[in-house]
Amino acid sequence: MTNLYECSDLNFAYKLEKQKVKALQGVDLSVQSGEQLLIIGPSGSGKSTLLNLLGLIEPLQKGEIIFQGQSFSRLSEKERNAIRRFKIGFIFQSFLLFEVLTAAENVEYFLSRQGLSRSERKKRVADALEAVGIGDQAHKRPPEMSGGQRQRVAIARALAKHPAVIIADEPTASLDQKTSRDILDVLKSLRTQGVSVIMSSHDPLAESYASRIVHIMDGQLQSGKGGVL
Ligand SMILES: Nc1ncnc2c1ncn2[C@@H]1O[C@H](COP(=O)(O)OP(=O)(O)O)[C@@H](O)[C@H]1O
Ligand SMILES: [Mg+2]
């Protein structure tokens, strides 16, 4: 295994008028490639903030993230966009799909600026939809799909990039138990294909799907318990 992320002393605060809300305090975290890491903690503990930093969605305030040997604090805008576009697949709790596009078009949309040929794009879209078990739903639009199917489209969209890592922020939070298990199974299956996954949850159900678990509380990581895979 090689080092995917090396995070040291991450601190992050949101500014609310004159107040500062501390969301992360002194977070150190290493992630190896191939891991399926679960970050578990209650609502408001800092999970989204941490994942947003890892996914280059929020800028670093204090501390450092080294991603595949590259320092996030030293990236140009161009390098930052390239990492977002090629290396990191982000999955949001609320799916964030385009309602007017079909499943296949949603997946293809983010490939459009990757410089791939049309046939390579089509192949990646078909393979990604197949990998998440909805190869036969490619023509459907999100309003015609269930929550679980929509989340599968979102996973396929991330997967089609062939990213170094998939970051999933509470991917099952708006799903029922059965559908949550199905989605966690899909994410787990990615691991056998060598895709690294970093996922957050407040649901203990997710624990049995991780190769390693770290707990977060009040913006601080608690020393780790092992995963079960
Ligand atoms: N945009 C924001 N503005 C102000 N405070 C925020 C914002 N987003 C999150 N917070 C606060 O930062 C802390 C961590 O939030 P968050 O990372 O969203 O936690 P989680 O994802 O674990 O629920 C919480 O106290 C939350 O209220
Ligand atoms: Mg959150």
Side-chain angles (χ1 to χ4, degrees):
M1 288 212 230
T2 54
N3 247 357
L4 186 66
Y5 281 104
E6 195 68 53
C7 309
S8 49
D9 196 26
L10 295 180
N11 291 268
F12 194 93
Y14 294 95
K15 288 183 193 78
L16 278 180
E17 292 171 11
K18 282 178 189 156
Q19 249 190 326
K20 265 190 168 185
V21 181
K22 282 187 184 172
L24 292 179
Q25 299 182 64
V27 168
D28 297 319
L29 177 68
S30 296
V31 187
Q32 306 296 309
S33 70
E35 274 196 293
Q36 191 130 42
L37 177 69
L38 171 67
I39 297 167
I40 199 156
S43 178
S45 56
K47 302 181 297 297
S48 294
T49 306
L50 177 55
L51 294 189
N52 288 345
L53 289 177
L54 297 177
L56 281 172
I57 290 173
E58 291 280 8
L60 281 177
Q61 290 178 350
K62 180 167 177 278
E64 178 62 293
I65 297 178
I66 310 287
F67 173 72
Q68 294 189 315
Q70 239 180 331
S71 153
F72 271 9
S73 63
R74 299 203 191 123
L75 296 178
S76 65
E77 196 53 35
K78 205 173 155 192
E79 289 168 326
R80 180 178 292 273
N81 288 335
I83 291 176
R84 279 205 209 99
R85 197 173 302 154
F86 295 106
K87 302 263 178 97
I88 298 174
F90 210 99
I91 298 166
F92 300 89
Q93 177 182 334
S94 51
F95 322 136
L96 295 186
L97 300 173
F98 293 110
E99 303 271 294
V100 296
L101 301 183
T102 64
E105 288 162 350
N106 264 287
V107 175
E108 188 172 355
Y109 182 83
F110 282 93
L111 295 180
S112 56
R113 291 165 68 193
Q114 291 230 13
L116 301 168
S117 69
R118 190 182 136 84
S119 61
E120 171 66 14
R121 278 206 312 272
K122 299 287 177 206
K123 182 173 178 337
R124 285 210 194 179
V125 170
D127 287 350
L129 289 171
E130 200 60 48
V132 300
I134 49 166
D136 57 347
Q137 308 285 317
H139 57 284
K140 285 202 181 160
R141 293 185 169 75
E144 303 154 9
M145 304 181 106
S146 68
Q149 288 174 327
R150 279 183 243 173
Q151 192 56 300
R152 284 171 198 257
V153 177
I155 297 171
R157 182 177 58 185
L159 190 60
K161 292 181 178 184
H162 293 180
V165 61
I166 287 189
I167 299 178
D169 190 9
E170 301 212 45
T172 63
S174 44
L175 304 175
D176 62 52
Q177 284 270 310
K178 159 83 176 72
T179 314
S180 294
R181 282 181 204 279
D182 292 345
I183 291 300
L184 290 167
D185 273 327
V186 169
L187 289 168
K188 187 172 159 184
S189 74
L190 303 182
R191 181 158 183 257
T192 56
Q193 301 170 35
V195 181
S196 312
V197 178
I198 303 176
M199 173 171 66
S200 72
S201 184
H202 65 261
D203 185 354
L205 175 70
E207 290 182 13
S208 58
Y209 294 83
S211 62
R212 183 160 65 99
I213 300 168
V214 293
H215 290 258
I216 186 166
M217 185 70 84
D218 297 334
Q220 293 178 305
L221 294 191
Q222 318 288 302
S223 53
K225 290 185 203 160
V228 292
L229 282 187

